[in-house]
Amino acid sequence: MSDDRPGLKHLGIIMDGNGRWAKKRNLPRTAGHLEGLKALKRVIIEAANQQIKWVTFYAFSTENWKRTEEEVSYLMRLFTSKLLGELAFYRTHQIRILAIGDLLGLSSEVQDVITKTVEATKDHEGITAVIAINYGGRDEIVRSVNRLIASDNQITVESIASNLDLSQAPPVDMIVRSAGEMRLSNFLLWESAYAEFGFYEPLWPDWGAKEIQLIVGDYAKRVRTYGGLE
Ligand code: IPE
Ligand code: IPE
Ligand code: MG
């Protein structure tokens, strides 16, 4: 672990285990999502403390529409009221909010709150929190390629990359997932090509400063050679 190794600049988080957290307590799954939101706030604050400049949170996948109407509509309400609408919290901690995914596939109400939250936080100078909503890695690549075809551009690795939702962000250094599952579930497929991975047992609603400190320590031990030699 040498000091000249670059630090963790962009962390991707697959927030999983809200349902299991609720089930263990005999609560409805929605209670797990509400608690998960509190974890998200703790994690943003600690990530900022640890000098991580960007965190991308997987909040709702293109596959999550398969869930019950009750759960989907609860999540959408949570996004509009609590996730995107927490302007005082974002101001206090200087958090800039961005959103990725097929946002046009969301209700006009959710789209509206996203637009307002992004606009209201755009000058905040602390951490950038990217919320992936109606996001799928395959869909992100397809939308990028379609934009290139429509503009008559050549399809190259560089042109696809520069049309992805996350093209303005620094490279994703590490992708972590809670609740012990070891899969990507369609998260950041392109961006994960050379990302480090970390899988952690605690359920998402139980995450806080400790997990972020652990991740920062784990990342510092990784040796990244990108196909080359150390
Ligand atoms: C993650 O928790 C939250 C979302 C996918 C929106 P889950 O709801 O997937 O929780 P488990 O996996 O059922 O425990
Ligand atoms: C991935 O979790 C999606 C989000 C965290 C938003 P899921 O719980 O939906 O994934 P699977 O079904 O276990 O692969
Ligand atoms: Mg899950």
Side-chain angles (χ1 to χ4, degrees):
M1 210 198 318
S2 67
D3 286 343
D4 56 2
R5 220 161 257 171
L8 180 48
K9 288 193 199 70
H10 189 170
L11 177 67
I13 305 184
I14 304 171
M15 307 182 282
D16 198 17
N18 294 354
R20 276 162 278 178
W21 183 93
K23 194 170 180 207
K24 273 199 341 202
R25 288 162 179 79
N26 273 319
L27 294 167
R29 295 179 53 82
T30 49
H33 296 316
L34 186 60
E35 201 62 27
L37 207 77
K38 296 182 193 161
L40 190 139
K41 286 180 157 185
R42 291 192 293 270
V43 162
I44 294 184
I45 290 172
E46 184 59 21
N49 287 341
Q50 296 286 336
Q51 313 300 324
I52 302 172
K53 287 288 177 206
W54 288 69
V55 183
T56 296
F57 292 95
Y58 203 8
F60 194 89
S61 73
T62 47
E63 287 72 35
N64 284 146
W65 298 104
K66 293 176 192 163
R67 297 187 180 201
T68 63
E69 205 276 321
E70 185 199 359
E71 183 167 345
V72 170
S73 62
Y74 182 85
L75 282 167
M76 291 301 152
R77 263 183 283 132
L78 210 57
F79 296 150
T80 46
S81 63
K82 293 228 159 56
L83 176 57
L84 296 162
E86 292 263 354
L87 293 183
F89 174 76
Y90 302 141
R91 196 175 313 116
T92 305
H93 297 280
Q94 285 296 297
I95 300 160
R96 184 167 69 123
I97 300 289
L98 296 177
I100 60 167
D102 183 8
L103 304 179
L104 296 175
L106 296 164
S107 72
S108 55
E109 197 198 347
V110 177
Q111 288 187 48
D112 212 42
V113 177
I114 291 174
T115 307
K116 285 186 177 135
T117 309
V118 169
E119 173 62 26
T121 62
K122 73 177 189 325
D123 295 325
H124 291 172
E125 289 178 341
I127 192 167
T128 299
V130 182
I131 316 295
I133 303 183
N134 196 23
Y135 173 87
R138 289 173 175 172
D139 179 65
E140 182 190 29
I141 295 167
V142 168
R143 284 186 287 106
S144 169
V145 171
N146 274 327
R147 271 196 289 272
L148 292 169
I149 293 170
S151 62
D152 226 10
N153 267 308
Q154 254 204 307
I155 313 288
T156 63
V157 167
E158 290 73 25
S159 69
I160 293 176
S162 64
N163 276 280
L164 293 172
D165 296 354
L166 266 184
S167 62
Q168 302 307 310
V172 179
D173 297 307
M174 186 163 185
I175 293 175
V176 298
R177 181 166 185 152
S178 59
E181 305 298 337
M182 292 186 247
R183 56 178 171 272
L184 277 177
S185 302
N186 206 8
F187 186 52
L188 303 183
L189 296 185
W190 181 284
E191 296 85 345
S192 63
Y194 267 103
E196 297 295 322
F197 287 97
F199 301 100
Y200 300 89
E201 284 300 323
L203 303 174
W204 177 251
D206 292 326
W207 276 43
K210 202 176 106 200
E211 282 67 30
I212 295 307
Q213 289 159 14
L214 188 64
I215 288 163
V216 167
D218 286 350
Y219 180 78
K221 292 182 207 131
R222 305 292 174 93
V223 179
R224 305 183 72 190
T225 51
Y226 302 93
L229 302 170
E230 204 183 351

